[in-house]
C-alpha cells in the first residue's frame, strides 16, 4: 500500500503493480471512528494479523497468501464525477479477460454479505448463487492545475482477486476483528469464492503464476479508461 501511494507521485507515467501481501486486514480510515480501534489493532498485530489503513473508501479487506492485488496508477483530466464508472469498468475488464482465458465467466455486481461489498465487485454465478471473486476500489488525488488546462487527478485503481487463499481463515480474522470493535458487520464465507474453487480439478499447476502472467499480458495491451469502456459489460 505504501508502494501504491508512492506510485501516485509519478502518476504522469501510467504504471501497474501486481502484488501479494502477508496475512493482514486492510481498512479505510473511517474505522478510526471506533474508540477501541487502536488497542484492538494492536492485539491483532500481536496475534499475527496486523491491521493497515488505506486512503480509499469501502470496507474491511483481508489480505494474505493466495490473494492477488492489481494496482494501476495514471492521471486523468477532470474529476471522479466524469471518470469514476469508466475507471471501474476498465479495471473489471482487465480482470474479466484474465479469468475468461481460464474459462471462468464473471460479471460485476454487488454481493450482499461479502466483505467490502460494492457495485463493481466481480462475481461468478447468478442470482442467489452469485459469489464475489474480486473487489475493486479507487483513490483520487488532485494535481496542481495548469493555468491553461483542466484540473487533473492522479488515480489509483485497485483490485483484489481471490486466486487461491484460505477463505475460511480470512473470514475468521475479519469477523473476529469486527466483533472485537463492537461492530455489527459480519461477512459470510459462502458469499465469496476463489478462482481455485471455481476451477476445481481444471485448475492448472502454478495457478498464481498463471494468473499473474495473464494479467501482465492484458496490461501490455490495455490503454487508459475511455469512452468505449463506459458501455461495455460482460
Amino acid at each position: 500500500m505504501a508502494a501504491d501511494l508512492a506510485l501516485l507521485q509519478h502518476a504522469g507515467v501510467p504504471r501497474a503493480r501486481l502484488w501479494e501481501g502477508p496475512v493482514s486486514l486492510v481498512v479505510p480510515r473511517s474505522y478510526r471512528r471506533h474508540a477501541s480501534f487502536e488497542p484492538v489493532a494492536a492485539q491483532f498485530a500481536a496475534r499475527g494479523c496486523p491491521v493497515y489503513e488505506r486512503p480509499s473508501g469501502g470496507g474491511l479487506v483481508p489480505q494474505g497468501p493466495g490473494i492477488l492485488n492489481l494496482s494501476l496508477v495514471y492521471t486523468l483530466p477532470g474529476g471522479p464525477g466524469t471518470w469514476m464508472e469508466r475507471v471501474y469498468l476498465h479495471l473489471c475488464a482487465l480482470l474479466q479477460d484474465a479469468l475468461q482465458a481460464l474459462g471462468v465467466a464473471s460479471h460485476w455486481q454487488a454481493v450482499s454479505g461479502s466483505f467490502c461489498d460494492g457495485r463493481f465487485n466481480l462475481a461468478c454465478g447468478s442470482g442467489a448463487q452469485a459469489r464475489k471473486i474480486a473487489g475493486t476500489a479507487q483513490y483520487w488525488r488532485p494535481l496542481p492545475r495548469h493555468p491553461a488546462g483542466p484540473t487533473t487527478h492522479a488515480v489509483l485503481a485497485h483490485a483484489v482477486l481471490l486466486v487461491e487463499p484460505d477463505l475460511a481463515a480470512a473470514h475468521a480474522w475479519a469477523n473476529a476483528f469486527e466483533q472485537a470493535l463492537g461492530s455489527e458487520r459480519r461477512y459470510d464465507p459462502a458469499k465469496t469464492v476463489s478462482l481455485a474453487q471455481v476451477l476445481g480439478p481444471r485448475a492448472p499447476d502454478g495457478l498464481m503464476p498463471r494468473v499473474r502472467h495473464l494479467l501482465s499480458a492484458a496490461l501490455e495491451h490495455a490503454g487508459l479508461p475511455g469512452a468505449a469502456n463506459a458501455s461495455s459489460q460482460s
Side-chain angles (χ1 to χ4, degrees):
M1 288 170 291
D4 284 346
L5 293 177
L7 284 179
L8 281 173
Q9 306 300 322
H10 309 283
V13 178
R15 298 167 188 259
R17 191 167 75 95
L18 290 167
W19 55 279
E20 292 178 73
V23 171
S24 55
L25 299 174
V26 182
V27 298
R29 290 169 180 163
S30 60
Y31 266 61
R32 285 196 169 272
R33 71 182 183 274
H34 296 284
S36 59
F37 175 78
E38 289 195 7
V40 169
Q43 292 168 12
F44 272 66
R47 292 167 55 189
C49 183
V51 179
Y52 299 106
E53 295 176 68
R54 68 173 188 273
S56 59
L60 177 151
V61 176
Q63 289 284 352
I67 297 176
L68 183 62
N69 295 270
L70 169 61
S71 300
L72 304 178
V73 172
Y74 44 77
T75 59
L76 289 173
T82 301
W83 289 99
M84 185 169 285
E85 183 166 302
R86 281 181 276 184
V87 167
Y88 275 126
L89 293 177
H90 177 260
L91 188 57
C92 285
L94 285 167
L95 297 172
Q96 287 176 293
D97 287 347
L99 292 174
Q100 190 61 55
L102 291 167
V104 174
S106 61
H107 59 280
W108 50 269
Q109 70 161 77
V111 180
S112 180
S114 64
F115 62 81
C116 198
D117 186 28
R119 179 186 172 198
F120 291 101
N121 298 323
L122 278 188
C124 296
S126 60
Q129 302 304 312
R131 293 184 290 174
K132 176 176 179 172
I133 195 169
T136 57
Q138 298 180 33
Y139 174 66
W140 291 68
R141 176 181 291 173
L143 299 175
R145 181 173 180 175
H146 189 280
T151 300
T152 299
H153 284 77
V155 183
L156 168 60
H158 178 245
V160 172
L161 179 60
L162 304 176
V163 179
E164 48 186 358
D166 184 338
L167 286 176
H171 282 82
W173 281 116
N175 285 326
F177 184 72
E178 295 283 9
Q179 183 176 10
L181 288 178
S183 163
E184 296 183 357
R185 287 195 183 103
R186 298 295 183 271
Y187 312 107
D188 184 354
K191 295 297 184 177
T192 57
V193 68
S194 70
L195 179 57
Q197 289 172 327
V198 174
L199 290 171
R202 297 184 293 124
D205 292 336
L207 181 58
M208 181 63 80
R210 176 64 175 151
V211 175
R212 280 178 171 269
H213 173 76
L214 290 169
L215 279 172
S216 295
L219 287 165
E220 289 182 2
H221 303 289
L224 295 181
N229 299 105
S231 60
S232 66
Q233 178 182 355
S234 57

